[in-house]
Amino acid sequence: MVADLLLTGGAGFIGVNLVRWWLEHNEGDRIVVLDSMTYAGNLQSLDGILDDPRLEFVHGDIRDTELVERLLTDNKLDTIVHLAAESHVDRSIEGPDEFIDTNVVGTHSLLKAARNTWQQEGGSWKPHRFHHVSTDEVYGSLTSDDPAFEEETPYAPNSPYSASKAASDHLVRAYHHTFGLQVTTTNCSNNYGPYQFPEKLIPLMLMNILGGKPLPVYGDGMNIRDWLYVDDHCRGIELAIKSGVSGETYCIGGNNERTNIEIVRALCSMVQNRIEGNQDLKDRFPNSPASSGSSNEELITYVKDRPGHDLRYAINAEKASRELGYRPAETFESGFGRTVDWYLENETWWTAVMDGTYKDWIETNYESR
Ligand code: NAD
Ligand code: TYD
């Protein structure tokens, strides 16, 4: 099946991994990336494939309905994969407005553009698919004994971020039910892997371990998340687009429930093992405690808890497994091992993000061409 995709948010963490995944696994497909380049958009993450003739980058906003209609029509695109969003819970607590504007109003604008373009006079539809990427956070918080979230779990979002994602899920559902738009939605757990902005737990902790900075663990560190390696998420999205039934939602998980403190300790120990006995790493990261024979765990610092902090997320991916053949390929050890190695090997990528020069890279290497 050849598809031509409009991928929104394709300069963000999951977006860049999905662009790479899709082009590798779908040689004949074309992708138009639409991204407004907020702080989270980073074209340096697409370095090496920006020149691929199958890829076009458009700097624009999903709320620009006319632009989206033009992109869909001019490029004869039949599939939207919608990832563009404000995605960080802590920012949504600091300032919820942008979350409503992008995640709710933006998703609605995209749905309108899809309908205006793909629905023909008389009401019939051109072949199309609107795939919406959402989160397990829409289901709220579990106790340690509750069964994991599944597709039928009632929505109970607790943060402005998860409430805005829940609203967007409902709009996608409504456009299917009322107008007949062909939609699929995936609700996945916490992603980790290459190119993740270092405000999220895993890259933040890795940068701080390497820089010898405190590791801020919220509350008692006993909150639980299910961790999904980003390529496994990309596999789930591809399966839902290709084999999913329109109108259905699929929960995508990693089978990796861990407390935050377990995660932080595991990262400390993985970096410790790589630095010990490796003079090159000791020279590159002299401030990491492991480089001077101390334990990285000395950096662990318990800080004030996040307001409204959800206790536990867990995913039952039985439906995706049964109906789509979805299975995560990475275990906790393999996925986190690959991630630690990627951040050790790609210091230039994350130092550019930390010092803000990643935005200059875009000017000198992309817009000037
Ligand atoms: P991210 O914050 O890294 O990237 C978001 C991208 O969207 C950025 O490139 C940003 O510039 C772009 N964007 C923001 N507003 C836009 C707008 N108005 N128009 C066009 N582009 C805009 O996010 P991510 O972690 O890659 O997440 C991608 C999607 O997956 C989001 O919808 C998020 O809710 C969902 N999700 C993420 C996770 C996770 O663990 N990261 C888990 C579950 C679901
Ligand atoms: P995060 O990566 O922000 O994802 P989400 O809030 O969407 O699950 O956080 C993952 C978990 O890690 C969450 O329970 C909050 C916790 N956390 C910390 O303890 N310290 C931190 O500095 C951050 C960013 C998160």
Side-chain angles (χ1 to χ4, degrees), residues 87-94 99 137 159 161 200 306:
S87 70
H88 189 43
V89 174
D90 291 327
R91 284 180 191 257
S92 84
I93 297 168
E94 291 295 314
F99 287 72
E137 304 192 25
S159 72
Y161 163 66
K200 304 276 167 67
R306 170 190 283 173

Side-chain angles (χ1 to χ4, degrees), residues 21-269:
W21 171 277
W22 200 278
L23 292 179
E24 192 184 326
H25 292 87
N26 299 276
E27 287 204 347
D29 290 0
R30 286 180 305 134
I31 301 180
V32 176
V33 164
L34 174 64
D35 199 295
S36 66
M37 302 302 289
T38 67
Y39 78 94
N42 186 350
L43 280 186
Q44 190 167 4
S45 308
L46 290 171
D47 192 16
I49 59 166
L50 276 172
D51 286 327
D52 191 313
R54 298 171 298 164
L55 180 64
E56 187 188 342
F57 173 76
V58 177
H59 186 182
D61 200 298
I62 54 167
R63 290 166 291 187
D64 186 343
T65 318
E66 279 175 29
L67 168 68
V68 175
E69 286 175 19
R70 209 165 53 243
L71 290 175
L72 292 174
T73 305
D74 292 354
N75 297 286
K76 297 190 171 56
L77 304 175
D78 53 16
T79 305
I80 294 176
V81 189
H82 177 35
L83 292 101
E86 289 296 333
S87 70
H88 189 43
V89 174
D90 291 327
R91 284 180 191 257
S92 84
I93 297 168
E94 291 295 314
D97 297 60
E98 279 177 71
F99 287 72
I100 307 306
D101 286 347
T102 291
N103 301 357
V104 186
V105 178
T107 299
H108 185 241
S109 169
L110 207 57
L111 288 162
K112 272 196 300 186
R115 183 175 172 224
N116 292 345
T117 311
W118 290 332
Q119 193 166 29
Q120 307 173 104
E121 269 179 44
S124 65
W125 291 83
K126 296 176 190 163
H128 69 275
R129 172 63 65 87
F130 186 111
H131 182 76
H132 178 56
V133 175
S134 191
T135 169
D136 59 0
E137 304 192 25
V138 297
Y139 300 120
S141 183
L142 298 168
T143 65
S144 47
D145 301 330
D146 282 336
F149 299 132
E150 54 188 19
E151 292 76 7
E152 302 308 320
T153 304
Y155 275 39
N158 289 319
S159 72
Y161 163 66
S162 55
S164 68
K165 291 297 288 186
S168 68
D169 293 9
H170 291 323
L171 286 166
V172 171
R173 177 191 158 90
Y175 264 66
H176 171 72
H177 189 80
T178 303
F179 302 121
L181 188 75
Q182 304 287 294
V183 306
T184 37
T185 297
T186 40
N187 294 82
C188 71
S189 47
N190 285 57
N191 284 223
Y192 68 99
Y195 304 110
Q196 187 166 29
F197 196 86
E199 63 185 351
K200 304 276 167 67
L201 182 72
I202 308 297
L204 177 79
M205 293 297 164
L206 284 174
M207 315 296 74
N208 287 7
I209 293 169
L210 294 172
K213 297 183 185 146
L215 308 179
V217 175
Y218 297 165
D220 61 5
M222 295 309 284
N223 301 68
I224 295 171
R225 298 290 182 265
D226 170 48
W227 292 97
L228 172 64
Y229 188 71
V230 65
D231 277 358
D232 283 327
H233 184 200
C234 293
R235 174 181 296 107
I237 292 172
E238 184 183 8
L239 284 167
I241 292 171
K242 291 185 170 171
S243 311
V245 175
S246 174
E248 293 293 317
T249 65
Y250 300 93
C251 284
I252 306 291
N255 279 338
N256 274 318
E257 270 190 70
R258 295 282 192 283
T259 61
N260 292 338
I261 191 65
E262 272 181 275
I263 294 287
V264 174
R265 291 218 164 97
L267 293 174
C268 286
S269 142

